[in-house]
Amino acid sequence: MFTSKRVVITGAASGIGLATALAFARQGARLFLVDIDQVQLDAAATEARKHTADVHVFRCDLTSPEQVGQLKEELLSRMEGMDILFNNAGIGASGALTADIEEDEFTSVMAVNVVAVWRMMKLAISLMLEQGGGVIINTASALSITVMPGSAAYNASKHAVAALTKTATTEYAQQNIRINAICPGVIRTALLAARPDIKELEPQLLALHPIGRLGNVEEVAEAVVWLASDKASFVHGALFTVDGGWTAS
Ligand code: NAI
């Protein structure tokens, strides 16, 4: 379904990004995989090449405007543009209550989860306007719709991703750019494992999901691939939940 489509994925070295890269690879997409972690990125590319021939990697800290500028040059020289952006890289937070969050933590979460997401949207939209269209899927969260205590910076960042998604949809839908956000519930990935309070947190997280379990990365990847496809042609500006019923309850 995606043969010869140029798909750029950020945060592609791990978790949801990696699973989605492999899902697109299985459908013949041309991939441009971006992450800050070179070693895991190379491993991801090796996996993806088992399914599709055209796989490029670019190590990039998305919080750096200069590095994202280089990303654009590399992308243009290797693929001459992009048809689909899965704007997915993100980081979690420590679990501190609002008044206990350190300045550095708050600004880092915003730098990766909001500013870098906007920076990649800006890059993608400018290329897609020149090309005559494209698809963007931002990784938001169930925490773009509801909130969790001990996650103020993360909650705020993911609500901002929802706002960026909806705003850009209203601005560019008529230029054939389809922009949506995927809103996963809790998915077992490195980001979750990195929470210092994960042991105490896990039973509380389980209780949030009416389905009675956490999600897995493939369940998110399948939804992203569908959202990126022409089958989702009338889906614009959605906060598309894949959350085991969390935000419905
Ligand atoms: P992950 O930690 O497995 O993957 C995130 C990737 O982003 C990593 O490979 C990391 O190296 C990369 N990354 C982080 N900072 C970067 C930077 N400055 N520049 C370039 N790459 C960078 O985590 P996961 O869970 O797969 O997260 C992917 C997205 O899904 C994130 O936006 C996260 O907020 C979101 N999400 C995750 C949920 C979960 O329960 N795991 C639930 C809802 C949303």
Side-chain angles (χ1 to χ4, degrees):
M1 190 172 13
F2 291 96
T3 309
S4 84
K5 290 280 187 203
R6 298 159 298 180
V7 182
V8 176
I9 302 179
T10 70
S14 164
I16 293 167
L18 172 58
T20 307
L22 297 179
F24 276 116
R26 285 191 285 270
Q27 302 217 26
R30 302 172 63 195
L31 296 176
F32 191 89
L33 307 180
V34 179
D35 205 284
I36 198 169
D37 184 331
Q38 181 80 63
V39 174
Q40 289 216 68
L41 192 55
D42 289 339
T46 303
E47 270 305 296
R49 286 191 188 105
K50 292 178 185 164
H51 306 285
T52 191
D54 202 359
V55 180
H56 302 267
V57 296
F58 188 73
R59 190 218 162 261
C60 178
D61 179 351
L62 295 160
T63 65
S64 157
E66 293 74 27
Q67 291 187 30
V68 172
Q70 290 160 8
L71 184 163
K72 182 178 180 183
E73 282 174 28
E74 277 297 312
L75 177 68
L76 287 175
S77 91
R78 295 196 218 173
M79 287 189 162
E80 296 170 351
M82 77 169 98
D83 301 300
I84 296 164
L85 169 65
F86 182 37
N87 200 4
N88 163 75
I91 57 173
S94 68
L97 298 182
T98 302
D100 299 325
I101 299 173
E102 299 289 344
E103 188 87 21
D104 277 358
E105 178 184 336
F106 199 91
T107 49
S108 315
V109 170
M110 291 299 155
V112 181
N113 291 8
V114 183
V115 183
V117 166
W118 160 77
R119 186 172 290 128
M120 284 303 296
M121 289 177 77
K122 181 178 160 93
L123 190 166
I125 290 166
S126 69
L127 293 177
M128 289 171 183
L129 286 173
E130 282 171 26
Q131 285 165 198
V135 177
I136 298 174
I137 297 151
N138 293 325
T139 302
S141 168
L143 295 173
S144 301
I145 296 165
T146 183
V147 297
M148 214 166 67
S151 280
Y154 189 82
N155 296 336
S157 74
K158 292 299 182 179
H159 274 67
V161 173
L164 285 169
T165 305
K166 292 195 280 186
T167 307
T169 296
T170 62
E171 293 169 341
Y172 299 105
Q174 297 219 352
Q175 273 92 5
N176 197 29
I177 303 179
R178 210 159 52 73
I179 307 172
N180 288 292
I182 190 102
C183 297
V186 180
I187 312 296
R188 290 192 189 279
T189 66
L191 183 143
L192 181 65
R195 278 281 297 231
D197 55 350
I198 184 62
K199 271 217 163 111
E200 310 86 80
L201 193 63
E202 187 154 343
Q204 298 167 39
L205 295 178
L206 271 174
L208 292 170
H209 296 73
I211 193 174
R213 65 170 174 83
L214 304 186
N216 63 59
V217 290
E218 288 77 17
E219 289 172 309
V220 181
E222 286 301 322
V224 174
V225 167
W226 180 79
L227 273 177
S229 77
D230 291 342
K231 292 181 181 170
S233 51
F234 201 55
V235 184
H236 282 257
L239 304 183
F240 195 94
T241 54
V242 183
D243 68 357
W246 175 1
T247 54
S249 56

